[in-house]
Amino acid sequence: MPRRNNILANIDWYTVGLYVLMLFLGWFNIYAALYSEEFQSIFDISQQYGKQLMWIGAAAVLALIIMLLEVNFYVFFSYFIFGILMLLLLLVPFIGKEINGARSWFQIGPVLFQPSEFTKAATALALARYMSSYGFKLHRLKSYLTIATIIFGPVVLILLQNDTGSALVYFSFVLVLYREGLSGVVLFFGTLIALLFVLALVLSNLTLVIIMLSVVLLMYLAFNPKLKQFAHVFIIYAAGISVFVFAGLLLKLNYEISQFVLVGAVVATLVVLFYSLKRKLSNYIKIAIVFIGSLLFTISVDYGFEHFLEPHHQARINELLGIESNPHGAGYHVNQSKIAIGSGGVLGKGYLQGTQTKFDFVPEQSTDFIFCTVGEEWGFAGTFIILALFMTLLIRLVWLAERQRSTFSRIYGYSVAVILFFHFMVNIGMTIGVMPVIGIPLPFFSYGGSSLWSFTILLFIFIRLDASRLEQLSG
C-alpha cells in the first residue's frame, strides 16, 4: 500500500491536468464541428461526439491500467510489444478494412483499430530498450543499422497500407538521436535533401543549377583563406561549363542550355575532385562529393515525383508550393480551412456559431481539420490558447525527460515529445496551408478511438516511468 501511495505522490499531475484539459477541449470542439439542430445532446452516442466520450472513458481505463503495472514491465516486454505490433502491421494489408483508400484498419465489431497508431509507442519502447542496453555505443555501424531497422521497419509496412501520413511520423524519431549524440551532419543532409526537393520542383533547371554553382563556389572560397586554390577551382568550373555550352550551341544540339551547364559542372567537379585528391585538400574533396551527390539527387527529383508519388500526393504538393492552384480540387480542404480560420477574427464567432462548420464547407472537420473549428469559433485568442497548451505540454515533456535517472526513461520521454510535436506541427500546418495535407490527427483533439488511445498509452507510459524515477536510481 505505501508503494502505491508513493507512486501516486510522484505522478506529475501537472502533465495529467494538461492531458485532461486538452481531452475535453477536443471533445467540445468535435461537438461544435458536428453540431446540428437534429442531434443536440453532446452525450448522443449515435453521433461522433457521443462516441468520442466513450473513447475518452476507455482511455481513462487504459491510463489507470498503465499506472498500475510495474515499471519494469515496459522495459522487459518492450521488444515483445514491438514484435506483436509489427506482426499486426504485416497482416493489415491482407485482412484489414480499407477506409479512404488506405487498408490500415482492423474491425472488431463496431470498433475500428489502427495498428500503425499503437506502433508509435511500441517503437519508442523498442528504441529506448536498445539504446539503453549494456555496452550500447551510438557511433557504430551495428548500432546505426539496428536503430534504422527499429525506426524504419514500421515505415515500410505502413507504406504498404497506402498510409503515407502515418509513415512520415516515424521519421520524427531521428530527432531523439541528437539528444544521445548523433552528429549534426545527418540533420544537415536531411535539410539539404528537403530543400533541393522543393527547389527542383519550383525553379527552372537553369536557375537551380546556377544557384547550386554559386553556393558551391562560395563554399570553396570559405575553405580557402589564401584564394590561390580557389582561383584554380573557379577557372576549372568556368572553363568546363563554357566548353560544353559553346560546343552545344555550335553543334546546334537539341538540348536545353541548362543541360549543357549541368554536364559542364559535373565534369568540372570531377576535375576538381582529382585536383583535390592530388593536393590532399580534404575540405575540397568533401565539397566536390556533396555537390555531385546534390546534382544527382536534383536530377532524380522529377522522375521520383512522377513515378513514386500517388497523383493526389503530387496534386497536394503542387498546390502547397504554388505550382498549381485548384481551390475546387486538391486545394479545396486547405482553402476552406483557411477561410474558416480567417473568418474567426480576434475573438471568434462564438461557440456553435461557426458558419463554415454548420454548412459542412470543411471536409474532415472533426478529424484532420479540427483546428479550423477552433479558429472559426474561438478566433485568434482561442487558437493562441490551444497553441500555448501544446507548447506547454511539449516543454514539460522535455523537462521531465531530462530529469530521468535511467537512460531508458529519458529516451522514451524524448520519443513521446517528438511524436506529439510532429503531429502538432504538421496537423496545424496543413490547416493553415504551410504543410501538405497528409491526414494525421491533432493529438487529444481529433475524433477517433485509435488515435486517442494510442496517444494516451504513449503519454501515460512515460508518466508511469517518471513516477518511478527514484526507484530506477536505486534499482
Side-chain angles (χ1 to χ4, degrees):
M1 187 68 177
R3 184 182 179 88
R4 293 299 177 199
N5 290 336
N6 187 48
I7 291 173
L8 287 173
N10 290 328
I11 288 175
D12 185 59
W13 292 106
Y14 188 85
T15 302
V16 174
L18 284 171
Y19 163 80
V20 173
L21 176 60
M22 295 169 75
L23 213 59
F24 281 95
L25 287 174
W27 179 44
F28 292 143
N29 277 281
I30 292 170
Y31 176 63
L34 301 170
Y35 175 78
S36 69
E37 298 293 336
E38 184 180 356
F39 302 98
Q40 295 189 20
S41 174
I42 196 172
F43 302 104
D44 187 345
I45 61 172
S46 68
Q47 302 301 303
Q48 286 187 355
Y49 39 82
K51 292 176 183 177
Q52 185 72 3
L53 184 60
M54 295 171 60
W55 307 149
I56 290 173
V61 174
L62 283 173
L64 179 62
I65 293 171
I66 290 168
M67 297 306 295
L68 290 175
L69 289 172
E70 289 294 330
V71 70
N72 288 334
F73 172 86
Y74 304 108
V75 180
F76 294 147
F77 288 95
S78 53
Y79 289 149
F80 176 76
I81 295 169
F82 180 71
I84 292 295
L85 267 299
M86 289 292 285
L87 178 61
L88 291 177
L89 286 180
L90 192 61
L91 292 175
V92 168
F94 301 101
I95 60 176
K97 181 180 179 64
E98 184 174 327
I99 298 177
N100 295 330
R103 188 179 292 276
S104 55
W105 304 79
F106 287 121
Q107 185 165 10
I108 305 172
V111 179
L112 290 170
F113 167 76
Q114 189 175 12
S116 60
E117 290 289 344
F118 297 90
T119 310
K120 297 166 192 173
T123 303
L125 287 171
L127 184 66
R129 173 70 183 276
Y130 177 69
M131 294 182 67
S132 63
S133 59
Y134 179 76
F136 171 81
K137 291 182 180 179
L138 180 61
H139 302 294
R140 294 190 302 189
L141 180 60
K142 179 184 175 182
S143 298
Y144 285 133
L145 292 175
T146 305
I147 289 171
T149 301
I150 292 172
I151 295 176
F152 298 118
V155 172
V156 174
L157 296 179
I158 293 170
L159 287 175
L160 293 177
Q161 304 168 18
N162 197 27
D163 188 4
T164 308
S166 295
L168 289 175
V169 176
Y170 289 82
F171 285 86
S172 64
F173 281 105
V174 176
L175 297 176
V176 178
L177 306 182
Y178 290 101
R179 170 60 182 82
E180 303 305 313
L182 183 67
S183 171
V185 172
V186 179
L187 183 61
F188 167 78
F189 280 109
T191 306
L192 178 63
I193 289 171
L195 181 62
L196 288 174
F197 178 82
V198 173
L199 292 177
L201 294 176
V202 174
L203 301 178
S204 66
N205 292 334
L206 181 59
T207 303
L208 182 56
V209 171
I210 291 173
I211 290 175
M212 292 178 67
L213 279 170
S214 301
V215 170
V216 78
L217 287 173
L218 286 172
M219 290 176 68
Y220 281 125
L221 180 60
F223 282 108
N224 189 20
K226 295 182 180 179
L227 299 180
K228 182 179 178 181
Q229 304 293 349
F230 171 74
H232 294 162
V233 170
F234 183 83
I235 291 170
I236 292 171
Y237 272 100
I241 293 171
S242 299
V243 166
F244 278 90
V245 169
F246 284 120
L249 293 174
L250 289 172
L251 296 174
K252 297 182 180 180
L253 298 176
N254 190 26
Y255 293 100
E256 295 180 4
I257 190 171
S258 61
Q259 294 173 302
F260 296 119
V261 174
L262 183 61
V263 172
V266 171
V267 172
T269 304
L270 292 174
V271 173
V272 170
L273 183 59
F274 176 77
Y275 170 80
S276 303
L277 287 169
K278 186 176 180 181
R279 293 180 175 268
K280 298 181 180 180
L281 302 173
S282 59
N283 287 327
Y284 279 17
I285 294 171
K286 295 174 184 176
I287 294 171
I289 292 173
V290 170
F291 184 52
I292 291 175
S294 299
L295 286 174
L296 293 175
F297 174 78
T298 303
I299 294 169
S300 68
V301 165
D302 284 338
Y303 181 84
F305 186 78
E306 293 294 334
H307 293 84
F308 293 106
L309 293 181
E310 296 291 336
H312 64 280
H313 293 145
Q314 296 175 17
R316 288 171 180 175
I317 292 173
N318 286 333
E319 185 77 28
L320 176 68
L321 298 177
I323 299 171
E324 297 177 358
S325 180
N326 185 2
H328 301 290
Y332 180 77
H333 289 64
V334 175
N335 188 54
Q336 294 299 322
S337 176
K338 290 193 290 186
I339 290 173
I341 294 173
S343 66
V346 177
L347 299 177
K349 296 176 180 177
Y351 189 57
L352 304 181
Q353 301 302 312
T355 53
Q356 290 287 109
T357 297
K358 281 185 176 180
F359 297 108
D360 294 327
F361 283 113
V362 184
E364 310 296 338
Q365 194 163 338
S366 64
T367 52
D368 299 341
F369 284 84
I370 189 68
F371 188 71
C372 70
T373 302
V374 179
E376 184 179 19
E377 297 192 349
W378 298 15
F380 173 79
T383 57
F384 178 81
I385 291 171
I386 300 304
L387 293 175
L389 284 173
F390 270 106
M391 291 308 300
T392 302
L393 176 62
L394 293 170
I395 292 170
R396 184 72 178 182
L397 289 174
V398 170
W399 182 79
L400 291 177
E402 281 298 327
R403 78 173 183 177
Q404 298 307 303
R405 309 298 181 90
S406 77
T407 304
F408 177 89
S409 298
R410 183 182 69 242
I411 293 172
Y412 182 82
Y414 269 98
S415 298
V416 175
V418 299
I419 290 171
L420 293 178
F421 170 72
F422 186 90
H423 273 269
F424 159 72
M425 178 186 69
V426 174
N427 181 277
I428 293 180
M430 70 186 192
T431 62
I432 60 177
V434 297
M435 289 281 183
V437 178
I438 60 174
I440 61 173
L442 183 62
F444 316 123
F445 276 76
S446 294
Y447 169 78
S450 286
S451 62
L452 174 59
W453 296 342
S454 68
F455 288 129
T456 298
I457 292 170
L458 184 74
L459 180 62
F460 273 85
I461 288 176
F462 182 47
I463 292 174
R464 179 65 182 88
L465 293 172
D466 177 69
S468 298
R469 66 187 183 281
L470 297 179
E471 297 174 21
Q472 296 168 29
L473 178 63
S474 60

